[in-house]
């Protein structure tokens, strides 16, 4: 309650001397140098090399992959899969977050741990596990589904499932802390004013977690576009049908089409970077105050 | 639009929050639930609002059996200690919330919001966000929001608890004047006896989950039912086995008054017009006496004095149990 009061008044002007930052010692500069070098060597340099390789011959690399119908199909498939997985993850993510934060039930901690599982399990394992359950021939559930005319593994539904699985925690991990932070005060207030559960969610809870959801969606989208391992197992990697963009990158790289591989990789990376940049630009600065 | 609470019990695990509460809250009056923190008064308010359910007992609001009605159907206005403002909505939208939920026509909503903002003196802030308001302004907005739906009862849970002392006093005056204007049945939870004495028509003292006494501020102050009520409504001190208020002790420098007790001044504190004396007598190591500066002239630490309760002053036999800490 004190922070509410103190925040309203602008802080009293501190003496000028205290405002200026403390002088930095050699340790501070060393740390800075270390962090910068680390990020350059690990992230900036390798990624920039991809961009440099892509544009070595001007735009011909990008043009090349955009003129190849199989690559275009793969890019389209990747977009379809990523969007489907994000939609699924957003709906379930928000639902599970509400369940984890707003209600008490036996096994809640187990569920919370389970939600984090996709982060710690290798995507290859996820792929294999999905094949075990939904595989058309020997899967536990697959033949039944296939009998009903729905092929999961080696088809788009399987790719969507694998992608949704690996990106599952991203929306939840963004939304849960915000839900915890805003507490139930506003929701209870809405109830006393006559709002039912749905109205409370729609008018009070959702606007409050809006930006957390947007962030979660962007991270999920970036992750979904780039998913490789799980997709490789469940997709079957059929050229022009179930080959996604990341699989194209691998294929081209292995076939010594480095230019094509770098161009495709560059496109994938750019979409993800663009998402994150756009959101950080449009996000209001004082949203959390 | 009275509220009847009958035989309400509420436990949280082993903790008894409320024990067999019977309460009648009269229509159109301002009733304060007063008591120390953890005494159960907020729980009782939340049970009336439908935010908690009683283990046993019934709540009737305006003749309607409300025990099993959810909060949103009770038509109560609730004001929270920490405002519970809808942070992403403007002040006007906050106030309009309950009306929009009830799907009132837009023109009517706009008119009503304008009236209410006028009433709480926030008209010029209609388009601000709650984060741009001071604590006092936020609480006035919350009050307007609660009043917008024309509630049967207005429930205030420590509404000024998060505000600093000066704003709290201003809002207290303002709330009383507002209540005289709107006349909605109001229940105010507070641990501040001064707040209760100043604004309430009726005070219910609640301690340890039980009702200690119900009465007007004067009844409670002049005829406390027990030592707890007396000590909770203001400072008390023990003199010769009796609880007495420090300003109700006469002090003289001789033993002429019958029944006076000799003692020695151990400490004097001067606060503005008031002087607080600590006196050691044979039976009580630390008797508190307050008097005005004028009356205290000539007294000094170490002086021998005689103490006696003022004629007609209220005294209550002191129990051996330790004196409950008076909040305030």
């Amino acid at each position: 309650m004190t922070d509410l009061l103190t925040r309203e008044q602008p802080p009293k002007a501190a003496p000028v001397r205290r405002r200026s930052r403390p002088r930095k010692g050699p340790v501070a500069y060393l740390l800075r140098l270390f962090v910068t070098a680390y990020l350059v060597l690990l992230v900036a340099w390798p990624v920039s090399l991809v961009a440099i390789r892509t544009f070595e011959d001007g735009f011909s690399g990008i043009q090349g992959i955009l003129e190849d119908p199989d690559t275009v199909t793969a890019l389209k498939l990747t977009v379809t899969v990523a969007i489907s997985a994000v939609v699924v993850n957003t709906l379930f993510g928000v639902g599970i977050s509400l369940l984890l934060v707003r209600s008490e039930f036996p096994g809640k901690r187990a569920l919370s741990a389970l939600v984090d599982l996709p982060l710690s399990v290798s995507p290859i394992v996820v792929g294999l596990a999905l094949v075990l359950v939904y595989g058309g021939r020997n899967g536990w559930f697959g033949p039944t589904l296939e009998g009903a005319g729905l092929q999961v593994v080696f088809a788009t539904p399987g790719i969507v499932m694998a992608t949704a699985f690996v990106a599952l925690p991203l929306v939840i991990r963004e939304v849960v802390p915000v839900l915890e932070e805003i507490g139930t005060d506003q929701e209870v207030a809405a109830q006393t004013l006559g709002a039912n559960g749905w109205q409370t969610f729609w008018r009070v809870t959702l606007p409050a977690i809006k930006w957390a959801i947007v962030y979660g969606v962007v991270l999920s989208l970036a992750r979904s576009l780039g998913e490789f391992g799980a997709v490789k197992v469940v997709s079957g990697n059929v050229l022009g049908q179930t080959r996604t963009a990341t699989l194209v990158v691998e294929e081209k790289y292995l076939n010594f089409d480095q230019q094509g591989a770098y161009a495709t990789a560059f496109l994938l990376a750019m979409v993800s970077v663009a998402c994150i940049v756009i959101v950080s630009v449009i996000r209001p600065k004082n949203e959390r105050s | 639009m009275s509220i009847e609470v009958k035989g309400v019990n509420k436990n949280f695990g082993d903790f008894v929050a409320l024990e067999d509460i019977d309460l009648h809250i009269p229509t159109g009056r301002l009733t304060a639930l007063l008591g120390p923190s953890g005494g159960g008064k907020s729980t009782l308010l939340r049970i009336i609002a439908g935010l908690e359910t009683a283990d046993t007992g019934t709540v009737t609001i305006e003749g309607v059996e409300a025990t099993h009605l959810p909060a949103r159907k009770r038509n109560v206005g609730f004001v929270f200690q920490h405002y519970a403002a809808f942070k992403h909505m403007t002040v006007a939208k906050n106030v309009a919330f309950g009306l929009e939920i009830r799907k009132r026509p837009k023109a009517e909503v706009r008119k009503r919001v304008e009236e209410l903002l006028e009433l709480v003196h926030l008209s010029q802030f209609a388009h601000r966000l709650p984060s741009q308001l001071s604590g006092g302004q936020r609480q006035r907005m919350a009050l307007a929001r609660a009043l917008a739906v024309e509630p049967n009862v207005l429930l205030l849970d420590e509404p000024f608890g998060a505000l600093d002392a000066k704003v709290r006093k201003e809002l207290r005056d303002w709330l009383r004047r507002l209540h005289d204007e709107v006349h909605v049945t109001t229940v105010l939870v507070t641990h501040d006896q001064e707040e209760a004495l100043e604004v309430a028509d009726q005070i219910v003292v609640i301690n340890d989950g039980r009702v200690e006494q119900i009465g007007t501020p004067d009844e409670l102050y002049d005829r406390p039912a027990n030592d707890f009520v007396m000590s909770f409504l203001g400072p008390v001190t023990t003199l010769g086995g009796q609880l007495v208020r420090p300003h109700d002790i006469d002090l003289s420098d001789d033993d002429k008054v019958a029944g006076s007790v000799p003692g020695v001044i151990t400490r004097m504190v001067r606060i503005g017009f008031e002087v607080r004396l600590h006196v050691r007598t044979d039976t009580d190591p630390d008797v508190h006496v307050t008097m005005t500066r004028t009356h205290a002239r000539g007294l000094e630490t170490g002086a021998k004095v005689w103490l006696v309760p003022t004629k007609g002053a209220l005294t209550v036999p002191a129990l051996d149990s330790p004196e409950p800490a008076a909040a305030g």
Side-chain angles (χ1 to χ4, degrees), chain A residues 211 214-215 218 275-287:
Chain A
W211 283 103
V214 170
Y215 246 58
V218 166
C275 288
I276 290 172
V277 169
I278 289 170
V279 165
S280 61
V281 168
I282 61 176
R283 181 179 181 138
K285 297 273 186 300
N286 59 351
E287 184 59 33

Side-chain angles (χ1 to χ4, degrees), chain B:
Chain B
M1 298 176 203
S2 64
I3 304 171
E4 295 289 345
V5 176
K6 284 230 166 68
V8 161
N9 282 282
K10 176 76 183 174
N11 294 359
F12 294 108
D14 293 340
F15 177 70
V16 181
L18 292 172
E19 199 180 332
D20 209 16
I21 301 283
D22 286 309
L23 194 56
H24 168 80
I25 290 166
T27 303
R29 312 298 289 278
L30 204 164
T31 301
L33 305 183
L34 174 68
S37 301
K41 55 197 191 308
S42 275
T43 307
L44 179 57
L45 193 76
R46 294 174 70 87
I47 286 174
I48 294 173
L51 301 175
E52 300 275 2
T53 46
D55 296 341
T56 60
T58 59
V59 176
T60 312
I61 300 173
E62 197 199 344
V64 177
E65 158 70 40
T67 316
H68 301 290
L69 275 185
R72 67 190 167 89
K73 291 193 176 153
R74 294 195 183 191
N75 201 30
V76 295
F78 202 98
V79 174
F80 300 82
Q81 178 174 5
H82 296 289
Y83 327 122
F86 300 135
K87 290 182 187 168
H88 59 282
M89 297 181 200
T90 62
V91 170
K93 276 280 174 196
N94 262 279
V95 176
F97 186 88
L99 297 169
E100 286 178 355
I101 289 289
R102 285 163 174 74
K103 304 211 165 35
R104 298 280 171 79
K106 279 215 169 82
E108 186 196 320
V109 172
R110 202 176 322 118
K111 187 164 160 282
R112 182 102 181 97
V113 168
E114 269 172 32
E115 283 170 14
L116 281 160
L117 289 179
E118 187 78 27
L119 185 71
V120 301
H121 309 296
L122 286 176
S123 299
Q124 69 272 42
F125 299 116
H127 300 294
R128 294 225 187 149
L129 287 175
S131 57
Q132 296 166 303
L133 300 182
S134 72
Q137 289 167 337
R138 268 184 237 185
Q139 201 55 297
R140 297 209 305 266
M141 179 196 83
L143 210 59
R145 183 177 70 178
L147 287 171
V149 299
E150 287 169 2
N152 293 336
V153 286
L154 184 62
L155 306 174
L156 312 168
D157 190 2
E158 302 261 7
F160 312 134
L163 303 168
D164 61 53
K166 185 160 168 283
V167 179
R168 191 151 69 206
K169 222 164 157 35
E170 281 168 18
L171 274 190
R172 200 192 282 168
D173 292 346
W174 175 81
L175 174 70
R176 183 64 233 188
R177 271 181 277 127
L178 182 81
H179 185 263
D180 293 340
E181 254 173 77
V182 256
H183 288 302
V184 58
T185 308
T186 304
V187 184
L188 166 85
V189 159
T190 180
H191 63 261
D192 180 345
Q193 80 285 352
E194 209 179 299
E195 195 166 291
L197 290 170
E198 191 174 324
V199 304
D201 298 313
Q202 172 184 277
I203 297 178
V204 180
V205 180
I206 295 180
N207 181 39
D208 278 342
R210 287 186 308 272
V211 172
E212 297 275 357
Q213 191 175 3
I214 302 175
T216 64
D218 284 346
E219 282 165 10
L220 259 63
Y221 200 84
D222 295 334
R223 291 187 293 282
N226 53 38
D227 59 328
F228 175 82
V229 175
M230 178 165 174
S231 58
F232 200 78
L233 287 182
V236 290
T237 190
T238 314
L239 177 63
Q242 298 280 317
L243 281 185
V244 58
R245 297 202 169 95
H247 58 260
D248 278 343
I249 295 180
D250 279 345
L251 182 145
S252 62
D253 49 10
D254 53 48
D255 58 354
K256 278 182 197 142
V257 182
S260 60
V261 179
V264 175
I265 299 176
T266 55
R267 193 157 167 254
M268 286 178 77
V269 186
R270 294 178 176 82
I271 304 157
F273 71 90
E274 190 182 281
V275 178
R276 296 182 191 168
L277 301 174
H278 295 244
V279 179
R280 188 177 63 237
T281 68
D282 294 338
T283 49
D284 303 294
D286 194 22
V287 181
H288 297 193
V289 184
T290 57
M291 53 180 60
T292 63
R293 229 167 227 274
T294 316
H295 285 109
R297 196 153 292 153
L299 293 176
E300 57 189 39
T301 312
K304 183 149 198 194
V305 291
W306 277 261
L307 304 178
V308 65
T310 309
K311 207 162 171 237
L314 170 78
T315 58
V316 166
L319 298 179
D320 284 331
S321 57
E323 200 175 288

